[in-house]
Amino acid sequence: MIRPIARALGFASAVLALCWTAAAQAQQTAKPVLHGRHWMAITGKPLAATAGAITFHKGGNAVDAACAMLAATSTMWDVLSWGGETQALIFNPNTGRVIGINALGAAPTGATPEFYRARGMPYPPEYGPLAAVTPGTPGGLMVMLAEYGTMSLAEVLAPAIQMADGYPIEAQTANSIERNRDRLREWPYSSSVMLPHRGEAREAPAAGEIFRQPDLARTLRMLVEAEAQALAAGRSRRDAILAAYDRFYRGDIAREFVRGVREQGGLITLEDLASWQVRIEEPVSTDYKGVQVYKLTHWTQGPALLQSLNILENFDLKAMGYNSARYVHTLYQTMSLAFADRDFYYGDPYFPPEEPIRGLLSKDYARERARLIDPERNDPGILPGDPYPFQGGTNPFTAYLRDWNRRGASDSVSAPPRASLPFEESFYLGTTSVQAADAEGWVVSITPSGGWVPAVIAGRTGVGLSQRLQSFVTDPAEGPFNVLRPGQRPRVTLTPTMALKDGKPFLSFAVQGGDSQDQNLLQFFLNVVEFGMNVQQATEAPNVNSFQMRSSFGGHEIRPGRILLAESMPDWTRAELRRMGYELTFEERTSGPINAIFFDREHGTFWGGSSHHGEDYGIAW
């Protein structure tokens, strides 16, 4: 009788979920939809969104405003800093094309698996000077502004410079600094900036206190000074901005940055900075029911969302019902399949071996993967597939596939205790998001990250170092395309998204949250396309998160069958999921701090959504 009862439970769950779908479409949201006609600016903090609004009011386009918000969030340590990395998609209305911006830093000279193993580390550490890739955000911002913006660097950086001179810090960042004060004391430049009350009961600034960063303010003014000198010499707007770029990566700022890094035990050299470059790329995409969805390619986890959509095309999701047990199970199995491929096949496209991205995004490959899903049970042993036959090739890594090590290295080699975070905390590390659009048709989606608190500050630059080296593996058996080597970029979780319909912007969306990012973005997209939610409903709707994938941080652990659900998930759905073999965990809110813009073609307006999960905020006009 077990199977008939289980089927009855599944049927009841689906029927009730269909009712829940109708309720979800009519739900009241914690935040209102943001409506705009001329422009829209959304990001991780209210003050940073104001920087975008100021830029729009001065006549800037969406790229100018996005760069101003990026500068402001980096200055606010909004789970990133100026030494982190920037990943962006830009829709250019003059060409009708989506452009990818790769401003991810690279592993420095001397960063090898052998170097870290000799120090008892199975992976690069989570924090400290040995965790850093080269800084990417300054270069990414300046290249985006030079190539696609309209304003000067001085205009775009003005809000960030004012903030570096002193702004009222918000409780979230102030309390993060206080929680991490013991580690921050280890790094002299970090402690001098972030712990203004050394020796007192609370050493970090208090919420509302004016937080000053004079070294960072001086660095930003030096960039503006380089631009002004180039303009005075008769150089173009673009070339003047790139003169500031050169000062950061090859001039006196670079020299102080490297001096400060190496004084504190880091590896980055002047040559590392001078040889690094921003890359303007062609993104990858897939069609889902007439919507063309774009992601940065396989140096990010973005294609996993496209792979998931290709798999899900083979199922009637709407008939399953929103967040029914069947729907949740199908999502979980799909994401397990796509992220197993991510963990094995994704890596830096500018270094060999060449990743099989054509095969991974093949619709035929997706159909083969979809056939592996058992509708009744979770499969804790899902492995990467073999996409090579779907692009006319032969897999050179079948030996690794046959014996793929699904354990994190922390299961076999102990990292230093001080460099380990709880699994689920590390799973969601870092990041913010930036969304901007204007009436001309420019659209920008950015997922910047790196250099979150606690970060090492590089000398007197005021620039916090990234912690992204930990996303490499050190053994090719764990992922032959993402093995640490100097000059290579790690495969990252950072993943802005853009969707077009009939060749015009339809959705622009991104989220913070480490390995959960493309899980939450996938569900946001389906909430809009399959379940008819508006953009604010879709950002607030409860998502599910899978831990059946390697964490990109810390010990790269994996927890097959573990699933995060919202506390609002009904008892009957919980019972069905337990029967299917899941280990359930719960939180009040599971949407992730998603930020998004929907383009209302019927009325020629923007609809903005910003989740109630965090402090994200939007302004429109």
Side-chain angles (χ1 to χ4, degrees):
M1 291 295 292
I2 292 176
R3 186 58 60 86
I5 291 170
R7 285 184 181 143
L9 278 171
F11 176 75
S13 176
V15 170
L16 289 165
L18 288 171
C19 297
W20 196 9
T21 301
Q25 291 170 339
Q27 70 180 332
Q28 293 296 310
T29 52
K31 292 181 180 180
V33 172
L34 185 65
H35 290 285
R37 178 183 177 187
H38 301 288
W39 53 260
M40 186 162 286
I42 311 176
T43 191
K45 299 286 183 186
L47 280 180
T50 302
I54 291 169
T55 306
F56 274 127
H57 272 296
K58 289 182 177 179
N61 72 2
V63 178
D64 300 318
C67 288
M69 288 189 280
L70 174 59
T73 58
S74 298
T75 301
M76 295 179 74
W77 299 85
D78 180 21
V79 213
L80 76 155
S81 74
W82 276 95
E85 44 274 353
T86 285
Q87 295 68 220
L89 292 172
I90 300 172
F91 179 77
N92 183 341
N94 300 319
T95 63
R97 297 176 65 85
V98 179
I99 303 149
I101 301 294
N102 177 345
L104 170 62
T109 300
T112 64
E114 294 75 23
F115 175 88
Y116 289 99
R117 289 196 200 107
R119 286 155 179 79
M121 303 177 188
Y123 302 100
E126 292 161 280
Y127 294 105
L130 292 178
V133 295
T134 52
T137 288
L141 186 155
M142 287 185 272
V143 167
M144 283 192 290
L145 181 64
E147 299 293 344
Y148 306 109
T150 66
M151 300 179 84
S152 69
L153 185 62
E155 291 171 303
V156 164
L157 291 187
I161 292 172
Q162 289 183 44
M163 296 178 76
D165 283 336
Y167 75 96
I169 193 170
E170 79 289 353
Q172 187 180 65
T173 300
N175 292 338
S176 176
I177 292 171
E178 180 65 14
R179 285 194 304 273
N180 288 284
R181 68 183 190 176
D182 290 345
R183 193 183 296 273
L184 288 165
R185 286 196 202 105
E186 300 174 16
W187 309 315
Y189 303 102
S190 300
S191 61
S192 68
V193 172
M194 294 191 172
L195 302 176
H197 308 300
R198 289 291 296 271
E200 299 180 18
R202 181 185 174 96
E203 298 188 349
E209 181 178 339
I210 301 301
F211 180 50
R212 294 181 171 87
Q213 302 172 78
D215 289 341
L216 178 62
R218 182 169 53 253
T219 294
L220 298 180
R221 286 190 170 97
M222 289 168 72
L223 296 176
V224 170
E225 180 184 65
E227 178 191 47
Q229 291 173 349
L231 288 171
R235 297 175 71 176
S236 67
R237 184 194 74 90
R238 176 185 180 276
D239 289 347
I241 294 169
L242 295 181
Y245 178 108
D246 284 342
R247 186 171 190 178
F248 188 94
Y249 287 96
R250 299 180 179 91
D252 50 357
I253 298 174
R255 290 190 290 275
E256 174 58 16
F257 182 93
V258 168
R259 185 202 66 76
V261 170
R262 297 186 73 83
E263 174 192 334
Q264 296 174 91
L267 298 175
I268 296 172
T269 68
L270 283 170
E271 177 57 29
D272 291 330
L273 292 185
S275 61
W276 180 85
Q277 61 180 306
V278 177
R279 295 186 181 272
I280 299 174
E281 300 179 335
E282 187 82 17
V284 289
S285 67
T286 196
D287 180 274
Y288 184 84
K289 299 187 176 181
V291 179
Q292 200 73 22
V293 185
Y294 290 83
K295 301 292 281 188
L296 295 167
T297 195
H298 45 77
W299 55 275
T300 75
Q301 68 175 347
L305 184 146
L306 305 182
Q307 288 189 246
S308 295
L309 289 174
N310 287 344
I311 293 169
L312 291 170
E313 271 189 330
N314 297 280
F315 300 92
D316 188 347
L317 301 180
K318 191 176 294 186
M320 294 179 186
Y322 169 71
N323 273 6
S324 68
R326 294 295 175 194
Y327 178 71
V328 170
H329 174 69
T330 304
L331 279 179
Y332 192 101
Q333 299 306 297
T334 294
M335 292 189 297
S336 296
L337 290 162
F339 280 86
D341 284 344
R342 178 205 73 167
D343 293 342
F344 191 83
Y345 289 110
Y346 290 17
D348 187 343
Y350 302 101
F351 278 73
E354 182 180 354
E355 295 82 357
I357 190 65
R358 285 192 299 111
L360 288 166
L361 295 180
S362 159
K363 298 281 189 177
D364 290 336
Y365 177 64
R367 280 188 283 273
E368 179 181 271
R369 297 291 272 167
R371 284 193 285 270
L372 298 176
I373 295 177
D374 180 343
E376 299 294 332
R377 295 287 298 175
N378 176 50
D379 180 358
I382 286 174
L383 296 173
D386 185 357
Y388 282 89
F390 297 89
Q391 61 179 40
T394 302
N395 196 325
F397 299 112
T398 53
Y400 291 149
L401 279 177
R402 283 193 300 269
D403 191 29
W404 191 44
N405 180 10
R406 298 286 296 182
R407 298 172 302 153
S410 58
D411 294 330
S412 55
V413 182
S414 294
R418 62 185 293 279
S420 59
L421 287 171
F423 167 68
E424 288 184 16
E425 183 179 343
S426 70
F427 194 87
Y428 290 107
L429 272 180
T431 315
T432 191
S433 64
V434 174
Q435 300 294 314
D438 64 37
E440 279 186 53
W442 289 93
V443 186
V444 185
S445 180
I446 311 178
T447 313
S449 190
W452 50 77
V453 175
V456 177
I457 290 179
R460 294 297 177 187
T461 65
V463 173
L465 300 185
S466 171
Q467 300 99 342
R468 194 59 60 175
L469 269 180
Q470 64 184 295
S471 291
F472 279 112
V473 300
T474 54
D475 182 348
E478 295 180 53
F481 301 88
N482 188 38
V483 180
L484 173 64
R485 76 182 105 175
Q488 183 166 327
R489 292 167 165 87
R491 193 275 300 150
V492 293
T493 56
L494 309 164
T495 178
T497 321
M498 205 168 284
L500 307 186
K501 200 169 187 179
D502 301 322
K504 297 178 180 179
F506 172 63
L507 287 169
S508 180
F509 52 111
V511 68
Q512 70 180 66
D515 289 287
S516 73
Q517 287 180 38
D518 274 313
Q519 301 187 57
N520 289 327
L521 294 177
L522 172 67
Q523 291 166 82
F524 164 83
F525 178 81
L526 295 172
N527 289 344
V528 174
V529 174
E530 292 286 359
F531 298 108
M533 297 185 197
N534 71 39
V535 69
Q536 184 62 35
Q537 291 168 340
T539 64
E540 293 188 15
N543 292 333
V544 303
N545 280 181
S546 165
F547 300 102
Q548 190 164 310
M549 59 192 69
R550 284 187 182 276
S551 172
S552 300
F553 307 95
H556 293 237
E557 297 172 79
I558 183 169
R559 301 287 174 85
R562 189 174 179 87
I563 187 171
L564 173 67
L565 304 172
E567 291 174 357
S568 59
M569 188 66 79
D571 289 342
W572 60 82
T573 304
R574 300 182 186 199
E576 179 76 351
L577 290 171
R578 286 192 178 101
R579 182 194 67 78
M580 291 176 166
Y582 292 104
E583 174 195 351
L584 311 187
T585 63
F586 300 93
E587 287 185 10
E588 180 186 356
R589 298 178 186 178
T590 59
S591 60
I594 298 170
N595 290 322
I597 302 173
F598 167 74
F599 298 85
D600 184 343
R601 294 296 166 199
E602 181 181 356
H603 302 104
T605 61
F606 310 120
W607 294 47
S610 185
S611 170
H612 63 329
H613 198 129
E615 298 187 349
D616 299 65
Y617 200 81
I619 305 175
W621 189 249

